[in-house]
């Protein structure tokens, strides 16, 4: 409950400004997070610096990492073959720290469009792409994608002709998935760095397509 | 092509086999694992190493004739103990 | 019977694509889960099991990381990482520090 809120001119006891997202009334669950974290540190299970490093490691992961993987698959046939055979191994060899994640790459073609969902929770290739977008975790996305993927795709602005097969991958167990979207037309002159800029997060989930090269 | 049917079990505990696929027949896309059985891991026990299959289903098999597009497909990972052998489509009475 | 979290194929409305940035406390919950599972205190399966047992009301009324910290705590209690009494005393201590997250999360100065 919000009672008198000590603002102290907007700075904490350490003299730093409060983050706005830390400045609301303390919730029960925030209180629990602080308590659990401090108990684990006091018990020697973890340390404050280990927690900070883990947050930094997660923050450092982003869709741009996946975009580099996709762009390389578009430009390096040997890498593409390795990626489709064992995406965990191929991304690790490329230098990405994906931890213990087991990754499968699925490739879009002129005849096939892949889309990823987790109907049971919200499994996502977080160790490559970072934390999932909020919509990926919604009841609507989780419920509808396996039943009416074309309708879901249309909501995201992706309209596919009837002769393109839509393949939904439900991440029900130990594997995580990344879509290798089809390389856009008119990009033959572009190198991997330039191509990576075309690869959006949603195109690697399957709810989007790469950006149009003509826009660059 | 190896056809398998997902069992129709519906236990109250933690499982990773979605209800919408139970009783449905698909083909094994690839085999993976073994992985610790999540139905044991979830309760703090050692997970028995269990094979995992990626199974491909057609939309018409899963959702019936009123589905969005009959030949679109769904793939999911199903642990071995949830799968049973299924006849190939030509001997299944609802085959097309 | 089909359980509430097993929602593939259910009727549902349009997908809300609004996005929020994660707050520090949410990132800390995420980090605690990753660290606790990598140290073998419990598994992601245990995390999910408790989330599922919390029921559909929790899904509708609590945010994602609120549900996660509830489940992380439940799993740690089951693992014997700390006792209910230790948790109670620590939560009371944290709440006394201040009315907002930044103050309550600041380590206490010891004299």
């Amino acid at each position: 409950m919000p009672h008198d809120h000590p603002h102290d001119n907007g700075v904490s006891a350490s003299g730093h400004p409060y983050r706005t997202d830390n400045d609301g009334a303390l919730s029960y669950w925030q209180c629990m997070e602080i308590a659990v974290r401090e108990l684990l540190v006091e018990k020697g299970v973890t340390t404050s610096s280990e927690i900070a490093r883990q947050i930094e490691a997660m923050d450092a992961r982003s869709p741009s990492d996946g975009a580099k993987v996709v762009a390389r698959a578009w430009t390096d046939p040997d890498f593409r073959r390795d990626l489709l055979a064992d995406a965990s191994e191929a991304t690790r060899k490329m230098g990405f720290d994906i931890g213990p994640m087991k990754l499968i790459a699925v490739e879009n073609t002129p005849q096939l469009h892949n889309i990823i969902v987790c109907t049971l929770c919200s499994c996502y290739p977080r160790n490559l792409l970072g934390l999932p977008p909020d919509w990926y975790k919604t009841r609507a996305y989780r419920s509808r994608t396996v039943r009416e993927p074309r309708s879901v795709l249309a909501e995201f602005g992706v309209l596919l002709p009837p002769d393109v097969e839509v393949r939904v991958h439900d991440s029900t167990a130990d594997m995580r998935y990344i879509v290798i979207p089809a390389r856009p037309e008119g990009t033959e002159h572009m190198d991997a760095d330039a191509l990576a800029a075309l690869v959006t997060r949603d195109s690697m989930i399957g709810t989007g397509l790469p950006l149009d090269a003509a826009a660059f | 092509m190896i056809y398998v049917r997902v069992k129709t079990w519906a236990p109250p505990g933690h499982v990773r086999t979605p209800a919408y696929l139970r009783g449905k027949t698909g083909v094994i896309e690839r085999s993976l694992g073994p992985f610790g059985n999540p139905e044991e891991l979830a309760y703090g026990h050692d997970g028995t190493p269990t094979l995992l299959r990626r199974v491909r289903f057609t939309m018409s098999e899963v959702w019936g004739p009123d589905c969005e597009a009959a030949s679109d497909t769904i793939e999911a990972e199903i642990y071995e103990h949830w799968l049973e052998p299924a006849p190939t489509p030509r001997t299944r009475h609802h085959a097309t | 019977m089909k359980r509430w979290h097993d929602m593939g194929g259910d009727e549902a409305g349009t997908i809300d694509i609004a996005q929020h940035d994660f707050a520090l406390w949410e990132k800390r919950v995420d980090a605690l889960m990753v660290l606790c599972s990598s140290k073998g205190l419990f598994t992601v399966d245990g995390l999910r099991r408790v989330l599922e047992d919390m029921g559909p009301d929790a899904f509708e009324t609590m945010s994602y990381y609120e549900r996660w910290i509830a489940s992380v705590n439940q799993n740690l209690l089951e693992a014997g990482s700390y006792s209910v009494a230790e948790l109670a005393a620590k939560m009371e201590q944290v709440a006394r520090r201040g009315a907002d997250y930044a103050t309550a999360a600041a380590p206490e100065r010891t004299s």
Side-chain angles (χ1 to χ4, degrees), chain A residues 69-89:
Chain A
V69 172
V70 170
R72 184 158 173 208
W74 285 346
T75 53
D76 179 344
D78 289 343
F79 178 77
R80 172 182 168 274
R81 184 200 60 219
D82 293 346
L83 185 69
L84 292 172
D86 184 343
S88 307
E89 181 68 13

Side-chain angles (χ1 to χ4, degrees), chain A residues 45-55, chain C residues 31 35 38-39:
Chain A
V45 171
T46 184
T47 63
S48 296
S49 61
E50 189 176 47
I51 295 164
R53 280 201 306 276
Q54 171 58 33
I55 292 173
Chain C
L35 291 172
S38 72
K39 291 168 191 290

